Amino acid sequence: MARDYTPITMQKTRPILAWETLLDLDSGADAGMTALRQPLRGRLERALRAAVAEGRLPTGAALPASRVMAETLGVSRWVVTEAYGQLVAEGVLEARTGSATRVAASAAPSALEGDSDARNRPAGVTLAGVTRPPTDARGPRAPRFDLRPGIPDLRATPRSRWSSALRSALVTLPDHELAAAHRWGYAPARIAVAEHLSRSRHAVAVPERVLLTHGAGDGMRILAEELHRQGHRCILVEDPSWPRLREIAGRAGLRPIPIPVDDDGIDVSALTDAASRSGARIALLTPAHQFPLGVALSAPRREQIVRWARDQDAILIEDDYDAEFRYDRRPIAALQRLAPDRVALLGSLSKSVSPALGIGWALLPAGIDPEPSASSPSLIDQAALARFILHGDFERHLRASRIRFRRRRARMLEALRTELPALTPSGIAAGMHLVLPLPPGCTAMQVIAAAPADLAITPLDRYAADREAPDALVLGYGNLDDALVEAAVARVAGIIRELDPGRR
Amino acid sequence: MARDYTPITMQKTRPILAWETLLDLDSGADAGMTALRQPLRGRLERALRAAVAEGRLPTGAALPASRVMAETLGVSRWVVTEAYGQLVAEGVLEARTGSATRVAASAAPSALEGDSDARNRPAGVTLAGVTRPPTDARGPRAPRFDLRPGIPDLRATPRSRWSSALRSALVTLPDHELAAAHRWGYAPARIAVAEHLSRSRHAVAVPERVLLTHGAGDGMRILAEELHRQGHRCILVEDPSWPRLREIAGRAGLRPIPIPVDDDGIDVSALTDAASRSGARIALLTPAHQFPLGVALSAPRREQIVRWARDQDAILIEDDYDAEFRYDRRPIAALQRLAPDRVALLGSLSKSVSPALGIGWALLPAGIDPEPSASSPSLIDQAALARFILHGDFERHLRASRIRFRRRRARMLEALRTELPALTPSGIAAGMHLVLPLPPGCTAMQVIAAAPADLAITPLDRYAADREAPDALVLGYGNLDDALVEAAVARVAGIIRELDPGRR
């Protein structure tokens, strides 16, 4: 392929000497990766990408000649030239004959994000050769103290296992399957998901009722559009809850009606009252681990809500987002088990494995038979999912994650007890986040405003629908670096102590 | 992982002796695959899967012990045990201690397709252990004489290159990108697509206006929903054309208004008349190679339609489905080049590489800024696409396909001249299909009715919207086996001659 890279900006070169520390080659290594070929080359590529993405290597910075770099790092020159070549091909680096290899102007992979100006610029501008995003090339970094909820441990992404699953799919899928119509999804993937849901979530699952999706949001969209087609116009939702699924339902024409949540989960009396006032016959629930409050729907309420659904010919949508991680006892069975004829169960790999895989499922009750979507998931991804489940890789990943999160959670709670003994976190029995109430007089907004940029914390209020949420923080620990648990809690506690009127 | 396969049906075993011919190990080999590890094992797996899918190995059939099979095929026993193990894990085979490995009841990968009874069965049936689809396990085979239009050569799927691209994505993506919000898609993929469209389609493409999709259908859905939100209620479409995109537009609330097509492409006078009657300000077009008639939109009409779009503040949607394959001259530039401010260009890998990859793009004019979809493509797939394009693999694949299709098309035309000298095929300058008019008095329906099950032919009328299409066949040659070109044409010709009243 002809490549003709013309750098658009080129900052003045400054010498960068400590390549061996800058490029900490070991940090990118994870045990799973050794199964892949060329780990050293891959690690060098990742280290260079990370250095660029995090701004340690700025736009225009010159890299050492491959021979020099190879000597500095103690690797073969082939490793370096291959890594440079790969990154040039990806547009991270730029190579010009007779000149040093440099960090490209468009290097940061997320250069286009948040570039709202660019989106408003008139189309019609083309750049000679390779087109380029504008010059501010710094991508968003991950926050150092990452307390965002709903994100699994990105360091523990099973890259090697998912790669094997994809490779296996590409090797084994017969030609004719590649162009076959797979209504609701590829049969082996539907079989595998049904098996997983039966075993891990005690759901009543047959492959015929499994629909493959791009994730819970996609499942919600398909479901909401089908229910709208059937005549539904509103949907009962938990308050507080994830705004995303409420918004997707809203866009499909289902008006959300928020219902309060208490220590036993959604208030079913309030729900039935609101339902009879509005005529709503759909409810969106997180029964196993309410998001964000972290409570479980109590057994009596489970029975009540199922009775309501049966009496009213209603549909319950169970968003089963992180129920696999339960710490005080065995995971709570899916609500779907109680009423397979009434409950649609939404799930995905996004919160249990990685949001980058873009694959999920919906287990649908009889009578909900959406047309196949305009965009069913890639057949390769579906076949990979089948293999990932049937080979036990998913189960293994869940088991390892459970152990990791349990340990991290214990350290979070211990640190909170030490730093903020007067505050009692809640919602801790499951999942990857907890809720920290704030002392009287200290508002969540004050805490957020005082937080430095490298500390990602979320006010409970962000998830409120109608009702104002109490002043509290939602602290996720799914992607919190194990080395930074105590430091992260100390930072949060420092801000709260500083603001606490009772302490002044 | 604990696996407990209980076969549901078990047909009486019949001995199958000629394993070495049944399993034709070489047929699955393609040069690209040698780059993958364990090619022999993979080939055995594929051969076994194909034998099951095609019914050559029926449900319940016992396979030879691995030692016997290894001797028969002249491979190591490890290859056989690994292949058996893989297929057991996928549910294609079943293994029970003390018994032969057998073809599983659920083996055919598409057992669930077309099983409409199963979809209407009440939910609530769970099977102990592994859940299973019903017993009729025969999947749909690919037709032997595959003349379906719109399907690329499945035998030439670049499995190894796409696998490398996926592996590279999994190795190189930095952790923090895995959970980042990629509005409209991952930046390197948007850059790569803009580069491809600039170079190959002469489009005016900047990455900021590229949105990653699951394919042209997904792009159509996103676009149609956004245009509906902006107040549009109808869309001008070609008649005949693919029903799928019209249906997607219709589901989003845009009523299709069919406009006739002649030898110069869509009738622009008829279009402007219909537009002024209906108020429609959107048109869906296939300018480079009209589907299914195969004509190109003439230069004067291109100018007319662009002028109309500018005058009326209208949007042209260019479905650029197979324009890469042009045989009489260089590919025709995208219409988008003439009016980047008016044209939205839809593309994907589905027809140029493989429908199984589930990835595509939309190049959007200013003013069309859809919200990010509830289901953007998997980040891994997007990063793989970036690499596939930037490494030149896409260009290489297109080049090889162009050569292959040109040769196959020449043989098709030669065979048609020989077999049916009185009929002149049209739409032959580009793409992967042609239109064959039928002799007077011979209807397309008669030909279809007389075609055997292994000959897949399509009446032109299937693509008609309002107007009845003339009696003609649409003959695709994208996935027609090179060894069967003349035989396929002879079969079609035989049916036509048999029916032709002029010959009787």
Side-chain angles (χ1 to χ4, degrees), chain B residues 25-37:
Chain B
L25 273 181
D26 289 326
S27 75
D30 83 48
M33 293 308 296
T34 53
L36 294 175
R37 290 189 294 182

Side-chain angles (χ1 to χ4, degrees), chain A residues 122-142:
Chain A
V125 189
T126 190
L127 307 171
V130 178
T131 49
R132 288 277 181 220
T135 49
D136 176 14
R138 189 66 55 81
R141 302 173 207 184

